[in-house]
Amino acid sequence: MAATDQLSAVFSALADPTRRAILAELADRDATVTELAAPLPISMPAVSRHLKVLEGAALISRRRLGKWRASRLEAAPLRDAADWIERYRRFWDSSLTRLDAHLAAVQAAGRETEGMAQDPSVPDNKVLDKEL
Amino acid sequence: MAATDQLSAVFSALADPTRRAILAELADRDATVTELAAPLPISMPAVSRHLKVLEGAALISRRRLGKWRASRLEAAPLRDAADWIERYRRFWDSSLTRLDAHLAAVQAAGRETEGMAQDPSVPDNKVLDKEL
DNA sequence: CCTTCACTTAACCAATACGTTAAATGTAAT
DNA sequence: ATTACATTTAACGTATTGGTTAAGTGAAGG
C-alpha cells in the first residue's frame, strides 16, 4: 500500500511474511542485503525492495559500510502498532482487571440483548474518528 | 493481500484506515452495514467489501437480523498480531526486566562494534524460519 | 585502470486492492 | 403481488504490489 499514514505503512509492511522474516533476522543482528537474501527464496532485487518498504515504514535504518549496506531494526513504529492493538486487549484477554472485567461484562450484556440499537433503520452514528 | 496465512491476513486488514475505523466502531457496539457506512466517505458496496476482508481475517463475524446484517468484533486475531509484535518489545521498551536489560545491553554492545559479522563477505546465516 | 563485488534501478508482467455505478438478491412491509 | 429497504455481486478502471531479468552505480582490490 502507498504509505497514506504512518500506522498504515507499518501494518502494510508487516503484512508480508518475507518482511516479517527480515525483521526477525534483524532482531538478532544487523545484516547486509546479501546476508538477508541468503535464506530467502527470492532474488536480491526483490529483497532490496522489501528493505525499501521497511525503511519507508521506518522499521529499519540503513548505513553504508564500505562496500556493504547494513540494515538495522528500528522498533519504534512497532510500539505504535502495538499501542493501537492494545486498545482491543480487553476483547480477548481473560486476565482482566476488576474495572476491565466490569466493562467487559457490560459489553457482553449489551451483546446478549441481541439487538444493536433498537431500530437500526434510524442510526444514530456519531462520526467516529476517535482514531484512524 | 490474498490471505496467504492468518497473520498476514490480519496485518493486511489492519493496513487500511477505513477498516481500522470500522473495527473502532465495532468496539463500541455491533452495527449494521448502513450504520458503519454512514460516517465513511465511500459507497456502501465499498464498505461491504471492507467487511468481507475483515471477515476473511476473522476480525469480525456476521449474522443476519431480519433485513439487516450485524457485524461483531472478533478480537482473537488481534491477540495473534499483538503476540507477534510483543517479541520486539525489548527493542523499544525502556522499562526492562533485569534479564531483558542484560540482553538489551548485549544487543547494544554488539551494535557498538559497528560491524556485523567481522567479514560480511563470508555470511554465516542460518536459515531462520524461527517465525514467519 | 579495470575488474569484481554489493547493491539498486529500470523495464516489464501478472495479480491484487480499492474505488465506482448498475444490477441482483433477500427480507419486510403494504 | 408489489414495493421498499438493506446489502451483495457484477463489471469496470486505475494504482499498487511483488516478482522477474538486465542494466546501472559505487566502493575495493589486483
Side-chain angles (χ1 to χ4, degrees):
Chain A
M1 169 189 285
T4 51
D5 62 283
Q6 180 59 23
L7 200 45
S8 295
V10 173
F11 281 131
S12 188
L14 296 182
D16 187 288
T18 298
R19 286 192 289 264
R20 293 202 302 279
I22 290 174
L23 291 180
E25 186 71 3
L26 293 177
D28 288 341
R29 46 177 147 63
D30 293 1
T32 67
V33 181
T34 302
E35 286 175 324
L36 291 171
L40 299 173
I42 59 178
S43 67
M44 177 121 47
V47 174
S48 185
R49 288 202 322 194
H50 278 303
L51 291 174
K52 190 182 272 187
V53 171
L54 289 170
E55 193 174 24
L59 284 165
I60 66 170
S61 61
R62 292 197 279 179
R63 64 194 201 287
R64 203 167 245 302
L65 269 189
K67 195 151 62 164
W68 301 279
R69 276 193 87 182
S71 293
R72 165 173 299 186
L73 178 65
E74 297 291 346
L78 288 179
R79 171 171 39 70
D80 299 333
D83 287 349
W84 189 89
I85 295 178
E86 274 309 308
R87 304 201 196 128
Y88 296 87
R89 175 174 288 282
R90 66 191 178 95
F91 288 103
W92 78 73
D93 205 349
S94 55
S95 67
L96 301 164
T97 66
R98 206 168 303 274
L99 175 58
D100 286 343
H102 171 66
L103 293 175
V106 169
Q107 188 76 24
R111 288 183 167 174
E112 289 309 335
T113 64
E114 280 305 290
M116 41 247 78
Q118 280 61 12
D119 185 4
S121 65
V122 186
D124 58 342
N125 257 351
K126 294 86 195 167
V127 179
L128 46 113
D129 29 25
K130 302 158 188 171
E131 64 247 64
L132 43 162
Chain B
M1 168 190 286
T4 51
D5 61 284
Q6 179 60 24
L7 202 45
S8 295
V10 173
F11 281 131
S12 189
L14 296 181
D16 187 289
T18 299
R19 286 193 289 264
R20 292 202 301 279
I22 289 173
L23 291 180
E25 185 71 4
L26 293 177
D28 288 341
R29 46 174 148 63
D30 293 1
T32 68
V33 180
T34 302
E35 287 174 326
L36 291 171
L40 299 173
I42 58 178
S43 67
M44 178 119 49
V47 173
S48 184
R49 289 203 320 196
H50 278 303
L51 291 173
K52 190 182 272 188
V53 171
L54 289 170
E55 193 174 25
L59 284 164
I60 66 169
S61 62
R62 292 197 281 178
R63 64 194 200 288
R64 202 166 247 302
L65 268 189
K67 193 151 64 165
W68 301 279
R69 276 193 88 181
S71 293
R72 165 173 298 185
L73 177 65
E74 298 291 346
L78 287 180
R79 170 172 38 72
D80 299 333
D83 286 349
W84 187 90
I85 294 178
E86 274 309 307
R87 304 200 197 128
Y88 297 87
R89 175 174 288 281
R90 67 189 177 96
F91 288 102
W92 78 74
D93 206 350
S94 54
S95 67
L96 301 165
T97 66
R98 206 168 304 272
L99 176 58
D100 285 344
H102 171 66
L103 294 175
V106 170
Q107 187 75 24
R111 288 182 167 173
E112 287 310 333
T113 64
E114 280 303 292
M116 39 249 77
Q118 279 61 11
D119 185 4
S121 65
V122 186
D124 57 342
N125 257 351
K126 294 86 194 168
V127 179
L128 46 111
D129 28 24
K130 303 156 187 171
E131 64 247 65
L132 44 164

